[in-house]
Amino acid sequence: MPLLLQNVVLDDREPAAIAAEALGLPVGRVAAAEIVRRGVDARARVALWRGNLRVELDQGEAAVLRQRLPGVREWTERDQVRRTGFLPANRRSWPTRPIVVGAGPAGLFAALRLMEAGAPVLLLERGDPVERRVGVVNGFWRGGALDAESNLLFGEGGAGTFSDGKVYTRRRDGDLGWIFRHLVDAGADPSVLEESWAHLGTDKIRAILPVLRQKLIDGGGEVRFRARMTDLLVRDGRCVGVRLASGEEVAGGPVIVAAGHSARDTIDAMLRAGAAAEVRPVAIGARVEHPQAIIDTGLYPKGRGELPPASYRLAHNPPGGRSAYTFCMCPGGMVVPAQNEPGTNVVNGMSFAARRAVWANSAVIVQVGPADYGADDPRAGQRFQDQIERAAFRATGSFAAPAQRVDDFLADRLSADLPRSSYPFGIQSVDLRAVLPPSIIEGMKGALLAFDQKIPGFASAAGVLIAPETRTTSPLRFLRSPSFESTTLPGLIPSGEGAGWGGGIVSAAHDGFCVAEKVIG
Ligand SMILES: Cc1cc2nc3c(=O)[nH]c(=O)nc-3n(C[C@H](O)[C@H](O)[C@H](O)COP(=O)(O)OP(=O)(O)OC[C@H]3O[C@@H](n4cnc5c(N)ncnc54)[C@H](O)[C@@H]3O)c2cc1C
């Protein structure tokens, strides 16, 4: 019976030596030890690595467990699945063809799991395959037209393709290992199985996606690009297929719609067809960009040495005030334009695997909800986001993003000049009060001052706010029954972030896995 040792300091010694010391045993008693999770502990006086070890002793595990040493427990079957990713699917026959709409993490992993169960799954994607999509996005950044179907949000891999590729989540379920195993088999560095704060980088994701696509096709699935679903086909109160923009009708089911939070036309089609949804709170603000050196100095006061570029996750919860927090921090990354419609400005963050850029960025966002939206129908949050995104475009009259130095923002002062930024379209000095509502401005101010206490220089002139960050998650949620079908439209399964059932690459992929398991079962 192997043991799990949690939260031990990892130094240059062999894992067996570290395990022996933690358990108070001679090294000779440790038959095998391996690191199964590790991450930088920047809270320590000198930043160091901490992690979990899987340990086998020559004998006497039960006696060790009886001692109830802190952080020591039995290695379970769930731990094993998490580690190996080995999770065979229940193969069965398929009277109808499952249809998955959207090749983002939720749709892609739902389709892969259905394929493993022998389903002749059809995956429909409105945008381009990733190889072509990269060219389309780069063309837009070089001044070309915005392609409403294939862009930073739409196309193979979904919103996660041009991202930092952080692949961690607060969940630690055993079947997350299945997702990681697919990523590693498709070319991800095996270290993602261990790193607590694992990230792939946009370049790695772009290489992994064609491998996953081919796996799906080889297993009997079909993938169609530039195939936008415009309507759900409903017969006798049941969803029985989809209509495409070409007019073609495709019968099949169940229909899993994993369209992401920005496909507002697709969300409208689901509502029109009768799927019930409710409005949700979201968080909105701006991206803050600093030189990475400021973050490194703040978090690694003794020097960075061989450690990765410093990363942070900060929160501010003033009593009686609005919570604000940093989100999607990208060390060594760049701020990117993330709109899918003309006449709007939206920003987000991305990085390459090496995280070598000289900047660090994160979203500083404030919680908003129906009281701010001024309505509580399912589309109210989308309208609120849209107003801000259009105000941001009007403020500069172009895809250049409105921006303000942090110290000027705190003093309600237009920035006389702006620092160099990673933003592809450039940034333009704007008083951000013209873009963001007062409640968000006030929430951000309190948070920036609090974050400056944790990372000196965070609220200084060296930081620049680039606005707006509106698409942090879905402002509505489709209601699902225990079978994961829509409560009001059986045959339809809303999945992933756009449906309000996931937030982030791994959590959306996990929702795709879970809905597929339900369908298979
Ligand atoms: C720039 C950026 C950086 C990010 N960085 C990270 C990160 O580092 N880590 C992290 O965990 N998360 C990150 N995220 C968030 C993450 O990408 C999303 O949470 C995740 O992609 C959601 O997955 P999804 O499958 O639910 O939806 P999406 O990824 O949005 O995928 C939806 C797919 O559906 C397609 N689609 C939409 N409508 C239709 C239709 N009608 N017909 C056919 N296809 C359709 C779209 O083209 C798209 O490909 C980032 C997001 C962005 C934009």
Side-chain angles (χ1 to χ4, degrees), residues 102 105-106 125-126 154-155 158-160 162-163 165-166 229 259-260 266 349 497 504-505:
E125 170 52 53
R126 71 193 297 162
F154 295 165
F162 293 84
S163 79
K166 283 179 274 296
M229 179 211 103
T266 310
E497 182 156 28
I505 294 170

Side-chain angles (χ1 to χ4, degrees), residues 394-420:
R394 279 196 304 276
T396 62
S398 72
F399 289 125
Q404 197 168 11
R405 286 187 191 265
V406 179
D407 62 338
D408 292 331
F409 174 80
L410 291 169
D412 290 333
R413 193 170 55 213
L414 192 68
S415 293
D417 59 7
L418 292 173
R420 231 162 57 80

Side-chain angles (χ1 to χ4, degrees), residues 101-107 124-127 152-160 162-166 168 227-229 258-261 263 266 328 336 338 348-349 495-498 503-506 508:
V101 177
L124 299 169
E125 170 52 53
R126 71 193 297 162
L152 191 120
L153 300 170
F154 295 165
E156 191 175 24
F162 293 84
S163 79
D164 186 43
K166 283 179 274 296
Y168 49 78
R228 173 164 53 92
M229 179 211 103
H261 56 46
T266 310
C328 187
V336 289
N348 212 305
S495 176
E497 182 156 28
I505 294 170
V506 177

